[in-house]
Structures are given as structure tokens and as C-alpha cells.
């Protein structure tokens, strides 16, 4: 990237529940990465997944971020206030026949005998509806989604800011993906690309479960003729059972520490240690970590959060 361009990063919580230790770790690194280059930060609330959105979760996420010492310059920008813009870009993709109407249900796709393989991302779409053109949508009498047509022209590799070169066979391993849902709402893949583009985001740091999504998003950037941001993916926090952090691993909500009066520097110090940014978990503020932030020194393996780690944070 042009060194003269200012970095614009973003914090993008989904208000579908409480933010936990894993989210805090990603936000801390996203903030440090932008701020260590005097960059700006946009706060975006990703609330388009309406059935899962909790009314209290947006305010709580903002309180959590402020408590952690992670500030922002622009926002909150709320995705559900931008639905018309996502629709406009969907229409642009229609005009170029980059998407087609798909009537398959999830179980149709799972049952398709020809589905080549099932990865962690679910079955690759077998292409059942790919013969359709945009105009065919007018004649459909059942609900349909809009699916993006991947092709061999899509980017197959990129250099991750934290994890180096990443390679993916987008067509074979990911396949055509949904950009507009059956209920008429935009899918995450579309909304996030439109937002990152419109909001001038130059750098995206997020959890590494989203690396496959990055390839889908790069395909969308290419189709729209937009310059993509740089991407960095933070290794996930997992539980002792090797699965990604979830409620079954206990209550690791940021707001729990906040309510218990734990100093935020304690969590930040612990998270900095967990990523390899400091040798011990000694308390520290995000601002005090700026000087030592080095993307190369971030651990690439997932971090195993043990109950004793969390209990130590809660101790008086
Ligand atoms: N809103 C998503 C989350 O909280 C992040 C998506 C993204 O960073 O692109 O997991």
C-alpha cells in the first residue's frame, strides 16, 4: 500500500450477543494496527442479521470498547440504516449478470449428490441454479436468493498482514455464494464489502475464521472494480476442547469483568500476552502498547483460554 495514504481501520461488532474475550483480542489488535500508524478508526455496527440481533447488544459493545480504551473517530455507522445502498450495489451486480436467482434451500444443497465436498464452510454450492440469468427472476414463483457467480478470474491469493500468503481455489473450494438473502436483506458478504469500500477502509483486522470470506470478498471487489483493503486475520481464541470460544466455555463476557470492577488494563495486558505482544500478562493500557506493536510478532496459533486464566482476571 502507498505509505503516504492514511490507514483507516474499523471495529465491526455484531450485536447478536455479548462481546467476549476473543472479540476483545481482535478489537485490540485492529485498534493497535491502525493507531500505531496514526490511522483513523470507524466503528460499524453489523446488525443486518436481524433475527439474531439483541436490542441491548449495540450499547453494550460500545461500552465494552470504551472501557477497554479502544476509541474511534467515525461512527457508529449502523448497517440497517444503509439497506438502500446495499440494494443499489446488488442491482449493479445484476446489470453485469454477476449474480443469479437461486431457489435452492439449505437442505437441497446438502442433499445434492454432486456437492463435491464439505469443508468447514459447509457444502460447496453445486451450481444447480447457475444456468439462470437475472431476467429469470421475474418468472419465479418461489422465494429466491441472489448468488454471486465465481469464476476462474477471481483472486486466488493475497498477502495477509498477520499470516503471510494465503491461497484458495475460490471456485472449487468456496463456490458461488449468497449476496442477497431470500427475505430481501443483504448477506454479510455484500454488506461488508460495500461498507468497507464506502467508508474508505484501508485495513481490515478480524478473526481468522473469516479467511474464506476474504476470498469471497476479494471476488466481489474484483467484480465491482473496487480496490480492496489489506486484510489481517487474528488467530482465534479457543477453549481447552479446541473449539472456538463459546458459552459452553464459561462466562467470558467483557461486560462481566467491567461489572465486577476489574481494571481494563488487566484484560488488555492478558490479551497482549496471549498474542505475544508482551512477555507477561502485566496490566497495560492499549495506548502503552502502541510503541511495541509489530504485526510480525503476533502469534499465529490459536490461543487456548483456560478457566484458570479467566479466574485470575476476576480475582480481587
Ligand atoms: N461483525 C463480524 C463479527 O463480529 C466481523 C465481520 C468482519 O470483520 O468482517 O464477527
Amino acid at each position: 500500500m502507498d505509505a503516504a495514504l492514511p490507514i483507516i481501520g474499523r471495529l465491526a461488532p455484531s450485536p447478536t450477543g455479548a462481546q467476549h474475550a476473543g472479540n476483545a483480542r481482535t478489537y485490540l489488535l485492529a485498534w493497535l494496527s491502525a493507531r500505531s500508524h496514526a490511522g483513523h478508526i470507524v466503528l460499524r455496527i453489523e446488525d443486518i442479521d436481524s433475527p439474531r440481533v439483541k436490542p441491548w447488544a449495540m450499547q453494550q459493545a460500545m461500552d465494552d470498547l470504551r472501557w477497554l480504551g479502544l476509541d474511534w473517530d467515525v461512527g457508529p455507522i449502523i448497517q440497517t440504516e444503509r439497506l438502500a445502498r446495499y440494494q443499489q450495489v446488488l442491482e449493479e451486480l445484476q446489470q453485469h449478470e454477476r449474480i443469479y436467482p437461486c431457489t435452492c434451500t439449505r437442505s437441497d444443497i446438502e442433499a445434492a449428490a454432486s456437492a463435491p465436498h464439505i469443508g468447514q464452510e459447509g457444502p460447496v454450492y453445486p451450481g444447480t441454479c447457475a444456468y439462470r440469468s437475472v431476467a429469470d427472476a421475474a418468472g419465479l414463483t418461489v422465494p429466491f436468493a441472489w448468488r454471486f457467480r465465481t469464476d476462474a478470474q477471481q483472486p486466488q491469493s493475497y498477502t495477509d498482514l498477520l499470516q503471510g500468503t494465503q491461497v484458495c481455489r475460490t471456485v472449487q473450494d468456496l463456490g458461488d455464494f449468497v449476496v442477497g438473502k431470500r427475505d430481501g436483506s443483504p448477506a454479510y458478504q455484500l454488506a461488508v464489502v460495500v461498507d468497507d469500500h464506502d467508508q474508505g477502509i484501508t485495513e481490515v483486522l478480524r478473526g481468522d475464521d473469516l479467511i474464506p470470506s476474504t476470498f469471497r470478498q476479494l471476488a466481489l471487489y474484483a467484480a465491482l472494480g473496487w480496490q480492496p483493503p489489506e486484510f489481517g486475520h487474528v488467530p482465534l481464541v479457543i477453549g481447552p476442547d479446541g473449539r472456538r470460544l463459546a458459552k459452553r466455555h464459561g462466562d467470558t463476557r467483557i461486560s462481566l469483568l467491567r461489572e465486577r470492577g476489574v481494571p481494563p488494563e488487566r484484560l488488555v495486558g492478558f490479551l497482549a500476552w496471549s498474542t505475544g505482544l508482551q512477555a507477561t500478562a502485566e496490566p497495560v493500557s492499549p495506548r502503552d502498547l502502541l510503541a511495541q506493536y509489530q504485526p510480525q510478532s503476533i502469534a499465529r496459533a490459536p490461543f487456548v483460554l483456560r478457566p484458570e486464566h479467566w479466574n485470575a482476571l476476576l480475582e480481587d
Side-chain angles (χ1 to χ4, degrees):
M1 208 186 84
D2 187 338
L5 285 178
I7 295 217
I8 305 181
R10 38 70 151 197
L11 303 168
S14 293
T16 50
Q19 307 294 311
H20 57 58
N23 302 119
R25 195 169 110 113
T26 300
Y27 299 141
L28 174 64
L29 293 182
W31 187 92
L32 286 171
S33 185
R35 293 293 196 220
S36 63
H37 292 95
H40 283 189
I41 292 183
V42 173
L43 175 68
R44 182 166 76 225
I45 304 295
E46 302 207 320
D47 63 341
I48 45 169
D49 195 0
S50 40
R52 294 175 57 226
V53 165
K54 307 281 184 300
W56 45 266
M58 167 173 152
Q59 188 59 50
Q60 188 182 75
M62 293 198 294
D63 292 345
D64 288 346
L65 289 168
R66 283 201 192 93
W67 176 80
L68 281 163
L70 306 179
D71 59 351
W72 56 89
D73 309 288
V74 177
I77 298 176
I78 313 229
Q79 283 191 323
T80 49
E81 294 177 0
R82 290 177 39 77
L83 296 176
R85 172 64 179 145
Y86 308 134
Q87 181 60 30
Q88 190 182 41
V89 177
L90 197 77
E91 284 164 19
E92 197 176 322
L93 291 167
Q94 286 169 351
Q95 279 153 20
H96 295 97
E97 290 287 342
R98 292 312 318 251
I99 56 180
Y100 56 86
C102 172
T103 50
C104 296
T105 61
R106 195 182 292 260
S107 49
D108 290 338
I109 298 170
E110 274 157 15
S114 61
H117 60 255
I118 299 182
Q120 49 157 191
E121 291 284 296
V124 174
Y125 182 64
T128 320
C129 296
Y131 68 90
R132 289 207 186 104
S133 66
V134 169
D136 293 334
L140 293 174
T141 51
V142 289
F144 59 86
W146 288 101
R147 209 172 265 280
F148 181 81
R149 205 183 286 282
T150 51
D151 63 32
Q153 308 306 315
Q154 308 306 326
Q156 313 278 311
S157 74
Y158 78 94
T159 304
D160 193 279
L161 290 168
L162 302 185
Q163 309 212 28
T165 304
Q166 303 293 309
V167 181
C168 177
R169 301 183 312 159
T170 307
V171 177
Q172 299 93 320
D173 295 344
L174 302 178
D176 295 353
F177 57 89
V178 170
V179 291
K181 296 198 215 167
R182 293 152 78 88
D183 65 4
S185 65
Y188 157 74
Q189 306 293 355
L190 179 73
V192 80
V193 165
V194 176
D195 282 347
D196 284 337
H197 170 74
D198 288 3
Q199 290 149 25
I201 304 298
T202 64
E203 178 183 284
V204 169
L205 256 80
R206 57 186 174 196
D208 70 4
D209 53 331
L210 288 170
I211 290 180
S213 287
T214 293
F215 284 97
R216 297 187 177 100
Q217 291 164 24
L218 286 170
L220 279 172
Y221 280 101
L224 289 161
W226 294 345
Q227 168 79 25
E230 293 203 89
F231 293 96
H233 289 85
V234 179
L236 289 188
V237 176
I238 57 177
D241 59 357
R243 294 164 74 184
R244 64 181 290 177
L245 200 61
K247 280 198 184 125
R248 79 178 86 89
H249 297 117
D251 187 352
T252 70
R253 288 175 302 134
I254 304 170
S255 55
L256 174 73
L257 300 183
R258 191 153 56 79
E259 284 155 17
R260 295 276 186 93
V262 171
E265 294 80 12
R266 207 188 274 179
L267 176 59
V268 172
F270 169 74
L271 296 172
W273 166 76
S274 80
T275 63
L277 276 182
Q278 60 176 16
T280 67
E282 74 178 291
V284 65
S285 72
R287 226 155 258 291
D288 290 337
L289 284 168
L290 282 173
Q292 69 220 58
Y293 177 76
Q294 296 285 355
Q296 315 83 272
S297 59
I298 306 295
R300 290 194 184 184
F303 177 73
V304 183
L305 183 71
R306 303 191 180 282
E308 51 272 29
H309 289 138
W310 197 252
N311 292 341
L313 291 173
L314 283 164
E315 265 164 26
D316 284 334

